[in-house]
């Protein structure tokens, strides 16, 4: 591999993983288009969509580990929330992935578009007093948490994504989880969700190991740095940044559909 190519892949991984750690999402929403379009733009060989998906799956796996590790202290990880939503999304994503082969591609894109639009609308719902709740006094409806994660898992499994950008608004708006606890816990849930995708990509030979290794190194450096930055940022700024990113994702998906 050329040194310029290595630097390009590293920077793509670094930027995506930093945002992942800071905002509690897997980061593939950002890295997927960057991996697809930036290398050929700079004169390097282009990755296929399958290679990009494989590299992204590996990278999300390690970025979420790095982010969770940085949030392990301070009471931000809600173990009960992670258990209920993580278990449900894992089952849902398996069902979605397994059943996706009987769906038309247009149907798959439409499912994702509807989920993304719902998430974008939810992010702009006022969330007053959310961050005034002490972390050790946070309560949530376990049935709603598991059901919502299961539905997201099916949609995410169908389209081959971790679904974190859908989980975050559900946790903030429906379950009323404080912002920083949402970010930390969603990283842990996304890690659980990404296990199936990572195993699937490896066993079917869809991973280009050279670029994937570079992205992993970038992830393990950048995700904890992003998490540290997220802890220091004003929660209103975090919410607005998340809202803008999720809205941009929804617009991109609907432009692809239409």
């Amino acid at each position: 591999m050329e040194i310029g190519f290595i630097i390009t892949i590293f920077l793509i991984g670094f930027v995506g993983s930093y945002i992942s750690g800071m905002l509690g999402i897997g980061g593939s929403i950002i890295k997927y288009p960057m991996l697809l379009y930036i290398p050929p733009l700079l004169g390097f060989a282009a990755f296929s969509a399958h290679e990009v998906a494989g590299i992204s799956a590996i990278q999300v796996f390690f970025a979420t580990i790095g982010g969770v590790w940085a949030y392990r202290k301070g009471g931000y990880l809600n173990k009960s929330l992670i258990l209920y939503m993580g278990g449900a999304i894992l089952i849902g994503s398996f069902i979605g992935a397994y059943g996706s082969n009987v769906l038309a591609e247009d149907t798959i894109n439409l499912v994702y578009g509807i989920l993304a639009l719902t998430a974008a609308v939810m992010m702009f719902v006022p969330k007053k007093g959310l961050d005034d709740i002490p972390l050790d006094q946070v309560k949530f409806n376990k049935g709603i948490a598991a059901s919502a994660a299961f539905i997201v898992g099916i949609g995410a499994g169908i389209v081959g994504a971790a679904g974190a950008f859908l989980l975050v608004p559900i946790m903030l708006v429906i379950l009323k989880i404080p912002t920083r606890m949402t970010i930390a816990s969603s990283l842990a849930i996304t890690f659980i969700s990404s296990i199936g995708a990572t195993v699937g990509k490896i066993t079917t030979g869809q991973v280009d190991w050279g670029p994937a290794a570079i992205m992993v190194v970038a992830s393990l450096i950048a995700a904890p740095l992003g998490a540290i930055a997220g802890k220091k940022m004003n929660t209103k700024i975090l919410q607005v940044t998340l809202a803008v990113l999720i809205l941009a994702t929804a617009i991109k998906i609907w432009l692809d559909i239409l």
Side-chain angles (χ1 to χ4, degrees):
M1 287 188 286
E2 297 175 46
I3 187 70
F5 179 74
I6 292 171
I7 292 168
T8 301
I9 300 302
F10 181 86
L11 290 175
I12 291 171
F14 192 93
V15 170
S17 299
Y18 188 89
I19 294 170
S20 168
M22 186 168 69
L23 300 179
I25 56 175
S28 57
I29 287 297
I30 304 145
K31 290 184 288 283
Y32 192 94
M34 287 172 78
L35 276 171
L36 209 54
Y37 301 122
I38 291 176
L41 202 65
L42 298 176
F44 302 113
F47 293 112
S48 70
H50 282 295
E51 286 173 333
V52 170
I55 294 166
S56 293
I58 297 288
Q59 192 278 331
V60 166
F61 181 81
F62 283 95
T64 48
I65 288 176
V68 170
W69 182 256
Y71 275 112
R72 71 194 185 281
K73 294 176 182 175
Y76 295 115
L77 292 166
N78 187 314
K79 293 179 178 64
S80 178
L81 187 68
I82 294 164
L83 184 68
Y84 278 91
M85 296 191 83
I89 199 170
L90 192 60
I91 296 166
S93 61
F94 176 77
I95 293 169
Y98 190 79
S100 62
N101 61 346
V102 299
L103 296 175
E105 192 168 322
D106 289 346
T107 307
I108 291 172
N109 290 337
L110 188 63
V111 167
Y112 208 43
I114 292 167
L115 289 172
L117 187 61
T118 305
V121 170
M122 284 169 64
M123 281 305 297
F124 289 94
V125 172
K127 293 173 273 291
K128 291 178 182 175
L130 195 64
D131 295 305
D132 298 333
I133 307 166
L135 295 179
D136 58 352
Q137 292 176 28
V138 172
K139 294 178 181 177
F140 64 95
N141 186 306
K142 295 176 174 64
I144 292 174
S147 302
F150 180 73
I151 292 165
V152 169
I154 290 174
I158 287 171
V159 296
F165 76 98
L166 300 164
L167 286 176
V168 167
I170 288 169
M171 292 163 76
L172 288 171
V173 179
I174 298 174
L175 300 177
K176 307 292 183 188
I177 308 295
T179 306
R180 286 195 175 90
M181 181 175 278
T182 290
I183 289 170
S185 300
S186 72
L187 278 168
I189 295 162
T190 305
F191 165 68
I192 294 168
S193 177
S194 72
I195 292 170
T198 303
V199 172
K201 297 295 182 187
I202 292 171
T203 53
T204 52
Q206 294 184 56
V207 179
D208 187 335
W209 286 106
I214 297 166
M215 294 281 278
V216 166
V217 172
S219 299
L220 293 175
I221 297 169
L225 293 176
I228 291 166
K231 287 180 189 177
K232 294 176 181 175
M233 280 178 73
N234 184 293
T235 52
K236 295 293 180 195
I237 296 171
L238 283 171
Q239 286 181 16
V240 169
T241 308
L242 273 163
V244 170
L245 189 60
I246 291 168
L247 179 62
T249 303
I251 291 169
K252 179 190 176 298
I253 290 164
W254 277 102
L255 286 174
D256 290 344
I257 292 169
L258 301 172

